[in-house]
Amino acid sequence: QRLKAAVHYAVGCLCREVEEDKDVQFSKQSIAAISEITFRQCGTAGLPRCFLMLCRHAKRTTVTTEDVKLLARRSNSLLKYITQKSEELASSNMEQKEKKKKKSSTAKGERTPGEQEAAVTENEDSNMA
């Protein structure tokens, strides 16, 4: 029920955005119908089954973003949105991993690459003097 409510809310938000952009109106009944169709399509008989078939075909057990993109390829705007979000998540994950590396190296007393370079430069300057 919570998932169904979340889908209804998301569809309502998207419909409001379309209303503003395209100067059209959606009735509450049409939003409810779109929500129901979306929920049924994404439910147990729809997308999860397609993802399962894609994974089996690729001899994998994990659904990847490439699987999601493959199913979204019919809608250029949806594919573009999914690709953009995927790239944002990937760059965010990379930033978090780098932050963790820096924290762990400073916790161990190791120097970051920038600090190492500064130390080498300091040594060279003192050796020249």
Side-chain angles (χ1 to χ4, degrees):
Q1 285 301 77
R2 290 179 63 196
L3 180 58
K4 198 170 192 176
V7 169
H8 183 76
Y9 176 77
V11 167
C13 291
L14 290 171
C15 287
R16 280 191 287 282
E17 285 181 27
V18 170
E19 286 176 342
E20 292 171 6
D21 289 346
K22 305 294 182 187
D23 197 29
V24 295
Q25 294 290 322
F26 288 91
S27 68
K28 290 182 180 182
Q29 293 83 3
S30 65
I31 293 173
I34 295 168
S35 298
E36 186 64 28
I37 290 167
T38 303
F39 185 76
R40 285 186 185 180
Q41 182 62 32
C42 295
T44 57
L47 291 177
R49 188 173 185 179
C50 291
F51 288 134
L52 180 63
M53 291 184 339
L54 282 170
C55 285
R56 282 186 182 164
H57 177 73
K59 295 176 176 60
R60 289 185 279 111
T61 57
T62 303
V63 176
T64 66
T65 55
E66 295 305 313
D67 297 328
V68 177
K69 289 178 191 177
L70 185 63
L71 288 180
R73 73 186 182 279
R74 292 185 195 135
S75 169
N76 287 333
S77 59
L78 180 59
L79 180 58
K80 183 179 176 182
Y81 179 80
I82 289 171
T83 301
Q84 176 188 356
K85 289 296 178 184
S86 172
E87 289 170 358
E88 287 174 11
L89 286 171
S91 67
S92 175
N93 286 343
M94 290 299 289
E95 289 173 6
Q96 288 178 350
K97 285 181 182 179
E98 287 184 18
K99 285 181 183 178
K100 285 182 181 179
K101 275 186 180 178
K102 286 181 183 177
K103 282 184 181 179
S104 66
S105 66
T106 54
K108 292 177 185 176
E110 298 174 2
R111 293 181 175 167
T112 63
E115 291 172 335
Q116 288 175 351
E117 190 176 309
V120 168
T121 305
E122 263 182 45
N123 270 345
E124 288 174 354
D125 288 346
S126 64
N127 287 341
M128 292 179 109

